[in-house]
Amino acid sequence: MSWIFAGVLGLSIVMLFLFVWFSPVYIDDASMSPTLIEGDTVFYDRMYRHFHEYQRGDMVVFRDPETDALLIKRVVALGGETVEAKDGVLIIDGQFGMDERRYEAGAPIDFPKISVPEGKVFVLSDDRNYGEDSRKETLGCLAPEDILGLVRIRLRDFTVFTR
């Protein structure tokens, strides 16, 4: 009987950890390709936002204000910075930004200079041709309270995302 109790207790702790601290999200589009592909399941850390600030390169989960669907995007610019893209090159504060070679774009992206308000972040899809990110007027820059959490684990190959 004690083995059964120990097993049930251990399983309860694991389930609590996975579904209270972490929450699963099923990827149903290719907007974060090649990092996350359609059909992947990831877990995001719901507690991160209470203890840390988001940084450039973080993959964050939030709700689309129009459809209420969960979206995952990458933070590329922080509050107080300016961001723009010219001929497929991401420029942050007038300097070259992230290394764009690891992200997909069928055609070079361009968008005008955008100032990120203090306390907010600017997010882009890893597949830069997807427009469901901060370039979209109805979405814009995200405040910390808009972000549900930080992507931590991909189940396909059990990748743990860290800094």
Side-chain angles (χ1 to χ4, degrees):
M1 224 30 191
S2 65
W3 286 99
I4 293 172
F5 177 74
V8 169
L9 181 64
L11 186 60
S12 298
I13 290 170
V14 167
M15 296 302 279
L16 179 72
F17 182 71
L18 283 178
F19 293 103
V20 173
W21 190 307
F22 290 92
S23 288
V25 176
Y26 177 78
I27 309 299
D28 60 359
D29 66 20
S31 69
M32 288 301 289
S33 176
T35 309
L36 304 175
I37 60 173
E38 191 171 350
D40 276 350
T41 299
V42 297
F43 282 90
Y44 68 94
D45 181 345
R46 295 168 48 162
M47 299 300 179
Y48 183 87
R49 68 184 183 154
H50 300 292
F51 305 107
H52 306 283
E53 291 185 9
Y54 294 101
Q55 297 179 12
R56 190 179 340 278
D58 287 345
M59 283 188 294
V60 296
V61 178
F62 59 95
R63 289 204 178 274
D64 184 322
E66 291 180 321
T67 65
D68 207 38
L70 289 176
L71 299 176
I72 298 175
K73 304 297 175 207
R74 188 172 305 276
V75 174
V76 297
L78 307 172
E81 296 178 336
T82 60
V83 60
E84 65 183 311
K86 290 183 183 175
D87 298 323
V89 176
L90 195 63
I91 301 168
I92 299 169
D93 282 343
Q95 302 174 352
F96 293 114
M98 299 171 73
D99 181 4
E100 290 291 293
R101 290 175 292 176
R102 64 186 208 193
Y103 304 111
E104 290 187 14
I109 63 166
D110 285 326
F111 58 87
K113 188 181 286 188
I114 298 169
S115 293
V116 181
E118 285 295 333
K120 295 192 175 192
V121 296
F122 186 91
V123 297
L124 284 177
S125 304
D126 278 2
D127 182 342
R128 301 298 198 224
N129 292 319
Y130 267 78
E132 299 292 319
D133 49 36
S134 289
R135 295 173 286 176
K136 186 177 177 184
E137 237 179 79
T138 57
L139 185 59
C141 296
L142 301 175
E145 58 269 13
D146 298 332
I147 299 172
L148 300 175
L150 179 75
V151 173
R152 288 288 194 191
I153 300 169
R154 177 178 55 209
L155 286 184
R156 174 174 29 112
D157 54 2
F158 202 74
T159 301
V160 176
F161 298 103
T162 61
R163 290 208 170 85

